[in-house]
Amino acid sequence: MDKHFIIETLKKQLAEYKPEIEQANIGKVLKIGDGIASVSGLSEVMASEMLEFVTPNESVYGVALNLEENQVGAVILGDFKAIKEGGLVKSTGKVLSVPVGKELLGRVVNPLGQPLDNKGPISFRKAELYPVERKAPGVIVREPVTTPLHTGIKAIDSVIPIGRGQRELIIGDRQIGKTALVIDTIINQLQDTGRKAPVCIYVAIGQKQSKIARIVEELKSRGAMERTIVVLASAADAAPIWYIAPYAGCAMGEYFMDKGEDALVIYDDLSKHAWAYRQISLLLRRPPGREAYPGDIFYLHSRLLERAAKLNKANGGGSLTALPLIETQLSDISAYIPTNVISITDGQIYLDPELFYQGTRPALNVGLSVSRVGSSAQTKAMKKVASRLRLELAQHRELQSFVQFASELDEATRKRIERGQRLTEILKQPPYAPIPFEKQVCLIYAGVNGYLDSLPLEKISEFESQFFQYLEDRKGDMLSKIRETGDLTEEIEKDLKSAIEFQIHAINAGN
Amino acid sequence: MKKITPLQYAIFLYELTSQGANITKQINEFLGVLAKNNDLSKIREVINDFEKYEKRQRGAQDVEIISATPLAKDLRTQILSAIGGKIDVKETVNPELLGGAIVTVGDTMIDGSLRRKLKELSKVLIYG
């Protein structure tokens, strides 16, 4: 590089700089501690406006939450230890915002949009800021959910389908596979080639950094990280950071929705978010209510989840799907926060510890799980097989208590129980192995039409893997037909039947 | 009984003292009232609120001027006349500003210091 070029560049940059006199509304720190500050002055501050706490080194930012007669209560997003009593506080005139854009894809950022992944600063081509707290889209710009969001999990895509723009709660005890479920969903978006893959935003609230490192590694190795943003508020971050994390992640998703694309936001998890908000509220001396949560804890989650939407064509047709997670204590789904979020969302997926220890994984309790809008988004092919699957599973559940007297039951009942057992068996699947929906359709078709009744239970998983291999090797065009049309025509059905019969025969011959 | 806020005490004190009678005696009585109500611990806030209230009653504004070098006389009068009204001025010299001045009027701060301009220039050069 020659020196003239450097000088020219510097000149150009200097030409852009116009020194201006800064005017700001100021205040003084009265009290500081626990990530909370009381500030005097600031007579013109807005609610949830960003505040700049001036410290000797770098300024620390905060948000004004409580506007009182003589003081302002603020939470601090950063290192509050650098702030001293009597320190200067400037109002910025801006509400809390995060940078949004395509440049965030593939990155791990904190809830303020700053990178945490050692890949250098994020250079935005056109810096756009979205406010963290944004009003949800109104009735006029929305339309019903019509496009499926395939998770790659057989039990969900068939029985509890999720549509783009839906809010589906995933609820269960700790260590039961909630996170594995959503990571599968992110990975599966690459396999679901029938429609444009959504941008995935994984918001980790109060999670262990080791867990996030593992997830990012997994996503990278699958090539899914390129369409994913990880927003991390780790267990070591302060409560205010946890508190804004889901809103920041949502704002990043809204950018893509406004551009007419699909986005999927995962909040992992909202119970920790509620704890963080409880801590902030108590420190700000807001009155505690039930379980010491503040009075607006319902609004905290409802205004967040209401921002998930499917926009109509006139508004770009984008969508934002929300998958909040809730961790229950001792599988108590009737506790305060779980019932709140259940009533806000369009359905829930309940993971049952009992099923988990029995070996049914994912431990989906089909009886307690529902999806209130997703079924209208299912493909025709899946609808055809899933309605029968749902019925058979329901009947099996009713008869389950008789399983131990199987030998004394009449023929029809025994058959029903056996069919149910096989269907339960085909819905099992290991973590991080999502299955494209066209293969799911083929397998469930085999199950509900009784082809598997002749196979012993322990052979089912063997059949599944060989069957999928066979379909891939020999019936690639049939799979792509199902994927593209989303329907099971008579012709495809005939083809599928012969494939299943062939495979059953092969398995039986192997014995 | 409902608690008396520091501001209420301050207004009470202001009205007592503005009558201009024996101030020492009235302040003694006022402290007696505070002690009786168990509110002596609030004295600091009461004094703060009193100062603010008294200023508001006078229609005066707090002005703080921090400059890099001592202000020239005509510049000082220029600044003060630009603000206008009744003014309580506090002047300090802080060479760390390098040049220019920071003027604070009530809750508003006007920062025209060279230090801040240089800081902003460095931002432009780094992130341009």
Side-chain angles (χ1 to χ4, degrees), chain B residues 9-97:
Chain B
Y9 277 124
I11 295 169
F12 172 51
L13 184 62
Y14 177 78
E15 272 161 18
L16 264 183
T17 50
S18 61
Q19 284 159 10
N22 188 349
I23 285 184
T24 327
K25 192 182 151 224
Q26 277 169 342
I27 287 187
N28 273 340
E29 270 172 24
F30 175 74
L31 290 176
V33 173
L34 275 190
K36 208 177 105 195
N37 290 348
N38 247 343
D39 276 339
L40 272 179
S41 58
K42 285 187 192 162
I43 190 82
R44 215 160 241 293
E45 294 159 64
V46 174
I47 292 170
N48 273 342
D49 282 346
F50 178 79
E51 271 177 14
K52 266 190 227 158
Y53 186 75
E54 189 261 347
K55 254 177 211 144
R56 215 183 317 147
Q57 293 301 313
R58 265 198 301 139
Q61 273 181 307
D62 255 336
V63 174
E64 193 183 358
I65 305 174
I66 309 171
S67 54
T69 49
L71 282 180
K73 212 167 191 187
D74 54 334
L75 189 60
R76 185 168 182 274
T77 42
Q78 226 177 325
I79 293 175
L80 295 184
S81 68
I83 300 164
K86 289 181 195 167
I87 293 167
D88 288 354
V89 200
K90 194 179 143 201
E91 272 179 69
T92 31
V93 173
N94 185 355
E96 273 181 34
L97 294 187

Side-chain angles (χ1 to χ4, degrees), chain A residues 42 45-48 64-73 286:
Chain A
L42 290 176
V45 76
M46 301 179 282
S48 84
L65 282 187
N66 269 9
L67 308 184
E68 289 159 27
E69 193 183 346
N70 293 316
Q71 53 174 277
V72 172
R286 293 182 179 176

Side-chain angles (χ1 to χ4, degrees), chain A residues 5 10 52 55 58 97 107 119 125 127 140 146 160 177 193 213 242 245 249 278 296 312 351 371 393 409 417 421 506:
Chain A
F5 176 74
L10 282 177
E52 182 185 349
T55 65
E58 227 168 280
S97 316
R107 306 295 301 257
K119 284 194 200 158
R125 221 170 305 141
I140 307 297
T146 48
I160 324 154
T193 48
W242 295 24
R278 171 168 64 183
D296 61 342
N312 57 20
L351 298 175
S371 174
L393 283 175
L409 294 173
I417 288 176
Q421 282 171 335

Side-chain angles (χ1 to χ4, degrees), chain A residues 12-319:
Chain A
K12 221 187 275 166
Q13 288 187 343
L14 282 177
E16 280 170 28
Y17 171 67
K18 289 181 198 71
E20 269 170 20
I21 287 174
E22 180 196 53
Q23 183 177 347
N25 197 234
I26 57 156
K28 288 221 157 79
V29 178
L30 291 175
K31 242 192 310 189
I32 177 88
D34 302 317
I36 301 287
S38 294
V39 185
S40 72
L42 290 176
S43 51
E44 282 156 40
V45 76
M46 301 179 282
S48 84
E49 180 175 332
M50 263 215 268
L51 302 176
E52 182 185 349
F53 291 81
V54 181
T55 65
N57 302 321
E58 227 168 280
S59 290
V60 181
Y61 286 88
V63 184
L65 282 187
N66 269 9
L67 308 184
E68 289 159 27
E69 193 183 346
N70 293 316
Q71 53 174 277
V72 172
V75 294
I76 291 153
L77 308 166
D79 183 19
F80 68 85
K81 289 188 190 83
I83 301 169
K84 299 272 181 302
E85 191 204 329
L88 185 67
V89 185
K90 287 190 217 165
S91 66
T92 59
K94 286 181 291 194
V95 291
L96 184 61
S97 316
V98 284
V100 293
K102 285 199 163 57
E103 290 80 359
L104 284 167
L105 290 173
R107 306 295 301 257
V108 181
V109 295
N110 70 8
L112 298 173
Q114 294 154 342
L116 297 172
D117 53 4
N118 244 342
K119 284 194 200 158
I122 303 172
S123 49
F124 290 94
R125 221 170 305 141
K126 195 170 137 253
E128 253 189 276
L129 286 174
Y130 265 38
V132 164
E133 293 275 4
R134 211 153 163 262
K135 217 174 150 222
V139 188
I140 307 297
V141 301
R142 290 180 189 245
E143 74 176 17
V145 173
T146 48
T147 324
L149 182 103
H150 288 133
T151 62
I153 292 158
K154 287 173 276 187
I156 295 180
D157 288 346
S158 57
V159 188
I160 324 154
I162 299 172
R164 296 191 178 186
Q166 193 184 343
R167 305 157 296 175
E168 182 82 6
L169 170 68
I170 297 168
I171 185 169
D173 276 11
R174 92 247 106 72
Q175 286 294 311
I176 205 168
K178 296 189 297 297
T179 304
L181 218 69
V182 292
I183 299 306
D184 277 0
T185 309
I186 297 180
I187 295 171
N188 189 55
Q189 300 315 314
L190 291 177
Q191 302 180 8
D192 195 29
T193 48
R195 45 196 66 74
K196 201 163 182 298
V199 167
C200 304
I201 297 153
Y202 179 78
V203 184
I205 306 160
Q207 302 285 346
K208 292 191 267 299
Q209 313 223 24
S210 61
K211 179 179 163 185
I212 303 307
R214 211 172 57 228
I215 289 174
V216 171
E217 244 0 272
E218 183 69 38
L219 291 178
K220 260 187 205 154
S221 70
R222 301 299 191 92
M225 196 61 201
E226 281 157 39
R227 287 195 66 75
T228 306
I229 305 169
V230 176
V231 180
L232 170 61
S234 78
D237 286 319
I241 301 276
W242 295 24
Y243 160 60
I244 64 160
Y247 299 101
C250 190
M252 291 171 191
E254 277 170 337
Y255 168 82
F256 293 101
M257 174 170 74
D258 291 346
K259 287 268 175 296
E261 290 184 45
D262 292 323
L264 164 71
V265 198
I266 292 154
Y267 308 112
D268 192 0
D269 61 85
L270 287 187
S271 3
K272 290 201 185 72
H273 182 236
W275 294 346
Y277 189 59
R278 171 168 64 183
Q279 180 184 333
I280 293 168
S281 297
L282 291 175
L283 289 170
L284 283 170
R285 302 191 158 275
R286 293 182 179 176
R290 182 173 157 194
E291 289 176 27
Y293 288 108
D296 61 342
I297 192 85
F298 186 87
Y299 181 54
L300 176 81
H301 289 148
S302 69
R303 71 171 187 266
L304 171 68
L305 294 169
E306 191 60 18
R307 284 160 72 178
K310 170 93 180 90
L311 299 182
N312 57 20
K313 284 267 151 47
N315 288 283
S319 76

